[in-house]
């Protein structure tokens, strides 16, 4: 049940954000999309999440024609760089949201939703903060809520858009370790956008180096470092 | 000798007092004084006379008509305004700029011209005139015309308040809701609407106040049929023209009180929900 991205293209007005991006990753892998600003990594991530529409190309995952499905059916949990928490809802409300909007026949009972929220709060180490509002939390705490919220829907795929970009170095380092641990526990295929090499190499099973809308090389962190296939990759990684 | 420290953005006391005095006298002269005069003149012949003027048949039906017209126009404009603001703030589509300009149109057009537009379209010699006559539908010189004119004039209020608010709030939360499985309607109800509730309330209050007070456009389309198509502002004018000064000012005082009530309500809600208000402005 691997993730297959095949020649995805996307133009914004005249600007080609994605120029035939292709990638294959096994189920449960932690994939980092690494590259400079403007390389198309966030666009690709948003297309995977259903927040943008590709102009051409295909994506197959879990035996589904991924791009044919609207965002809300994909069960692709998305973690935004600026958290995008629902500001007027409590932490518990935010986490429960994905379960509460399910159609009636799929929706768990209220008690069950509450139980899952508690479970997730414990998982992200925010046990007693359920009744707080996002504005009362620190950046690191907010991002953990965002992750719990994405995990609540039992996603097929987890998509993270530079999730630690807005946080300070110390918090960032802590959360890296912690996120990888969560990923291992949940076993869900994850795609993670970053421009930080250290972060990508530390966390990912597979690193996809992007440049000008194309994926120049995909491989394990060691392979990509040892054996850069293009001039861009070797320059980018030696920087 | 230590120099007293003043922050760079702090003005000297003299300047503060001067600006404060100017602001207060301006507000006092142009806002408070006229308002006070209205109430003074209404009570010029004693409270009994004021009450009689207000309970007069024509006055009562003018109050009723104003409330009905506002009661229809304001909810409709609220729905239109939310829809327009939502489309403009959350989506990109061709013709968006044109729509924004169109929304501002009623503000730049004189209310009298607005009323005239409806006369030209629905009047006996108008575009739909003969058709309406055949079907015995009365738009002008009847409630529908008054409601239409009120809708036109107060249309921008809700949209113009919500557009910058919703634009400022961005699309992030709506996108998050979509990825979590919410349908468009669920997203609107659970995410968008709660985020705009204070702006919306303020806009509705303003829209309502304006709808009650509209004179120019309604004056043109109503025909001023006594007891039938006379709204409060028109009633004030009619009474004034008939030298019934106490009556005119009494009805005007009702309008003024409704306006003050609106403001008081808004202030009360802001005070009561200050914390929520502050939180919804923060990101």
């Amino acid at each position: 049940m691997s993730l297959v991205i095949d020649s995805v293209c996307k133009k914004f007005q005249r600007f080609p954000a994605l120029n035939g991006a292709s990638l294959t990753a096994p189920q449960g892998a932690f994939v980092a999309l690494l590259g400079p600003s403007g390389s198309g990594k966030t666009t690709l991530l948003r297309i995977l999440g259903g927040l943008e529409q590709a102009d051409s190309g295909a994506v197959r995952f879990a035996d589904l024609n991924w791009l044919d499905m609207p965002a809300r059916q994909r069960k692709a949990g998305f973690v935004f760089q600026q958290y995008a928490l629902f500001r007027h809802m409590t932490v518990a409300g935010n986490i429960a949201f994905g379960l509460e909007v399910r159609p009636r026949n799929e929706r768990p009972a209220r008690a069950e939703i509450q139980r899952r929220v508690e479970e997730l709060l414990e998982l992200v180490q925010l046990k007693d903060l359920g009744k707080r509002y996002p504005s009362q939390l620190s950046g690191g705490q907010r991002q953990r809520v965002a992750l719990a919220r994405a995990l609540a829907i039992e996603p097929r795929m987890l998509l993270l858009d530079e999730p630690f970009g807005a946080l300070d170095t110390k918090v960032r380092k802590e959360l890296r370790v912690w996120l990888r641990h969560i990923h291992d526990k949940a076993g869900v295929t994850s795609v993670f956008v970053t421009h930080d090499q250290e972060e990508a190499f530390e966390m990912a099973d597979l690193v996809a180096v992007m440049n000008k809308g194309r994926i120049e090389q995909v491989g394990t962190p060691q392979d990509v470092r040892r054996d850069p296939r293009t001039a861009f990759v070797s320059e980018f990684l030696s920087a | 000798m230590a120099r007293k420290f003043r922050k760079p953005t702090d003005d000297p006391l003299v300047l503060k007092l001067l600006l404060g005095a100017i602001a207060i006298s301006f507000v006092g002269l142009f806002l408070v004084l006229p308002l006070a005069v209205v109430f003074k003149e209404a009570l010029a012949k004693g409270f009994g006379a004021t009450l009689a003027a207000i309970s007069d048949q024509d006055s009562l039906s003018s109050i009723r008509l104003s409330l009905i017209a506002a009661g229809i126009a304001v909810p409709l404009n609220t729905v239109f305004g939310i829809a327009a603001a939502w489309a403009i703030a959350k989506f990109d589509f061709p013709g968006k700029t044109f729509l924004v300009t169109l929304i501002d149109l009623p503000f730049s057009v004189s209310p009298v011209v607005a009323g005239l537009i409806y006369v030209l379209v629905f009047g006996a010699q108008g575009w739909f005139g003969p058709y309406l006559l055949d079907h015995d539908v009365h738009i002008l010189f009847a409630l529908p015309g008054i409601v239409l004119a009120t809708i036109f004039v107060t249309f921008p209020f809700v949209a113009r308040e919500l557009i910058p608010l919703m634009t400022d709030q961005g699309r992030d939360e709506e996108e998050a809701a979509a990825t979590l499985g919410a349908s468009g309607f669920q997203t609107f109800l659970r995410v968008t609407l709660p985020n705009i509730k204070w702006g919306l309330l303020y806009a509705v209050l303003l829209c309502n106040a304006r709808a009650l007070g509209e004179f120019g456009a309604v004056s043109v389309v109503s025909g001023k049929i006594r007891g039938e198509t006379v709204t409060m502002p028109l009633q004030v004018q009619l009474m004034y023209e008939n030298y019934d000064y106490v009556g005119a000012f009494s009805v005007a005082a009702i309008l003024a009180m409704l306006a003050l009530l609106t403001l008081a309500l808004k202030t009360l809600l802001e005070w009561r929900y200050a914390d929520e208000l502050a939180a919804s402005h923060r990101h």
Side-chain angles (χ1 to χ4, degrees):
Chain A
M1 257 220 328
S2 45
L3 168 66
V4 179
I5 300 174
D6 185 15
S7 311
V8 170
C9 295
K10 171 78 185 173
K11 271 206 177 98
F12 287 112
Q13 258 109 16
R14 296 273 173 75
F15 176 68
L18 283 178
N19 214 349
S22 300
L23 163 73
T24 308
Q27 144 85 353
F30 195 112
V31 181
L33 296 180
L34 176 68
S37 311
S39 52
K41 26 186 224 306
T42 296
T43 308
L44 183 58
L45 197 78
R46 285 171 64 86
I47 287 177
L48 286 175
L51 300 174
E52 305 277 2
Q53 200 139 343
D55 294 334
S56 66
V59 175
R60 270 198 82 79
F61 181 69
D63 279 329
L64 294 166
N65 254 329
W66 202 244
L67 299 183
D68 288 339
M69 289 165 45
R72 84 182 115 94
Q73 284 174 10
R74 295 189 189 183
K75 287 179 83 158
F78 204 104
V79 178
F80 295 80
Q81 185 173 11
Q82 298 293 343
Y83 328 123
L85 294 180
F86 303 130
R87 76 193 81 188
H88 67 282
M89 287 187 215
T90 59
V91 162
N94 266 273
I95 299 176
F97 185 83
L99 294 172
E100 283 173 357
V101 296
R102 280 194 185 163
R104 190 143 300 165
N105 52 350
E106 287 175 40
R107 198 185 310 161
R110 183 164 301 176
E112 170 66 13
I113 294 183
Q114 232 172 340
R115 191 192 63 77
R116 293 211 206 168
V117 168
E118 283 301 322
E119 209 171 70
L120 284 160
L121 278 172
E122 272 219 57
L123 179 69
V124 299
Q125 295 165 341
L126 290 175
K127 193 154 171 284
D128 296 313
L129 297 182
K131 294 214 164 71
R132 295 258 189 105
Y133 284 88
S135 56
Q136 297 167 308
L137 301 176
S138 72
Q141 288 171 325
R142 288 185 207 178
Q143 202 54 294
R144 283 187 269 160
V145 175
L147 187 66
R149 184 177 68 173
L151 289 172
I153 59 172
E154 293 164 312
R156 295 187 178 106
M157 189 191 294
L158 203 56
L159 303 167
L160 305 115
D161 187 5
E162 303 204 45
F164 310 138
L167 304 171
D168 66 65
T169 324
K170 177 166 173 290
V171 176
R172 202 183 300 184
K173 289 204 162 112
E174 285 171 5
L175 287 180
R176 270 187 223 168
V177 173
W178 172 85
L179 176 63
R180 179 71 220 202
H181 168 73
I182 300 262
H183 165 261
D184 292 339
K185 238 174 137 194
V188 64
T189 308
S190 303
V191 183
F192 178 97
V193 162
T194 181
H195 60 265
D196 183 339
Q197 287 183 46
E198 199 192 315
E199 198 162 76
F201 286 127
E202 199 182 294
M203 299 182 70
D205 297 321
L206 282 179
V207 174
V209 182
M210 289 189 73
N211 179 37
K212 300 216 178 100
R214 315 187 109 245
I215 296 180
E216 301 223 344
Q217 185 172 357
V218 187
T220 65
Q222 299 88 317
D223 285 344
V224 171
R225 240 203 205 118
R226 220 176 344 163
D227 193 17
R229 297 240 188 87
T230 72
F232 172 79
V233 175
S234 79
E235 263 183 61
F236 185 73
L237 294 184
S238 64
Chain B
M1 197 167 66
R3 193 120 174 266
K4 188 151 179 241
F5 177 74
R6 189 197 298 142
K7 290 197 290 195
T9 49
D10 218 10
D11 291 317
L13 187 62
V14 174
L15 189 61
K16 282 191 207 173
L17 287 176
L18 186 64
L19 287 176
I22 293 177
I24 292 177
S25 9
F26 193 87
V27 169
L29 194 63
F30 289 98
L31 297 181
V32 177
L33 197 62
L35 218 58
V37 168
V38 167
F39 286 107
K40 175 178 169 292
E41 288 297 323
L43 296 165
K45 294 222 180 97
F47 192 64
T50 315
L51 210 57
I54 297 171
S55 352
D56 167 69
Q57 269 295 44
D58 287 345
S59 296
L60 283 180
S61 65
S62 77
I63 295 174
R64 197 182 326 129
L65 188 63
S66 279
L67 290 175
I68 293 175
I72 301 175
V74 172
L76 283 177
N77 275 337
T78 303
V79 172
F80 296 152
I82 293 177
W86 187 66
I88 290 169
K90 310 287 178 184
F91 299 96
D92 296 309
F93 52 90
K96 183 156 111 158
T97 329
F98 182 64
L99 181 62
V100 178
T101 315
L102 214 60
I103 289 174
D104 273 347
L105 193 70
F107 270 2
S108 47
V109 165
S110 160
V112 174
V113 172
L116 199 61
I117 292 171
Y118 287 105
V119 173
L120 289 175
V121 173
F122 298 115
Q125 279 83 31
W127 292 357
F128 297 127
Y131 177 83
L132 292 172
L133 228 66
D134 287 339
H135 292 78
D136 197 27
V137 173
H138 299 282
I139 302 225
L140 289 190
F141 316 135
L143 182 65
I146 294 176
V147 171
L148 280 176
T150 308
I151 288 178
F152 183 90
V153 168
T154 58
F155 179 71
F157 278 94
V158 178
R160 288 185 99 223
E161 171 71 24
L162 292 181
I163 289 173
L165 180 63
M166 291 172 91
T167 309
D168 186 53
Q169 289 179 345
R171 311 176 195 186
D172 279 9
E173 289 188 34
E174 278 78 10
E175 286 187 343
T179 61
L180 290 167
S183 69
F185 187 63
Q186 283 173 316
T187 304
F188 179 73
L189 216 58
R190 288 167 171 261
V191 178
T192 315
L193 216 50
N195 275 344
I196 59 172
K197 64 179 176 225
W198 295 110
L200 187 62
L201 183 67
Y202 180 65
V204 168
L205 287 177
L206 272 186
C207 185
N208 186 51
R210 183 74 175 81
L212 287 171
E214 173 53 27
F215 179 78
V218 173
S219 157
V220 173
V221 303
S222 81
K224 300 188 197 142
I225 302 171
R226 246 207 173 90
E228 276 186 41
T229 61
V230 175
T231 57
M232 275 199 278
L234 295 182
Q235 178 69 356
V236 171
Q237 184 199 36
L238 277 173
M239 285 170 129
Y240 192 82
E241 280 172 352
N242 287 318
Y243 308 104
D244 182 2
Y245 297 130
V246 170
F249 278 105
S250 301
V251 180
I254 302 253
L255 274 173
M257 280 202 298
L258 283 170
L260 290 174
L261 187 67
T262 301
L263 283 178
L265 204 64
K266 174 178 165 287
T267 311
L268 180 70
L269 288 165
E270 278 177 349
W271 174 74
R272 176 86 174 65
Y273 292 103
D275 291 328
E276 268 195 59
L277 246 169
S280 75
H281 282 305
R282 253 176 268 143
H283 283 279

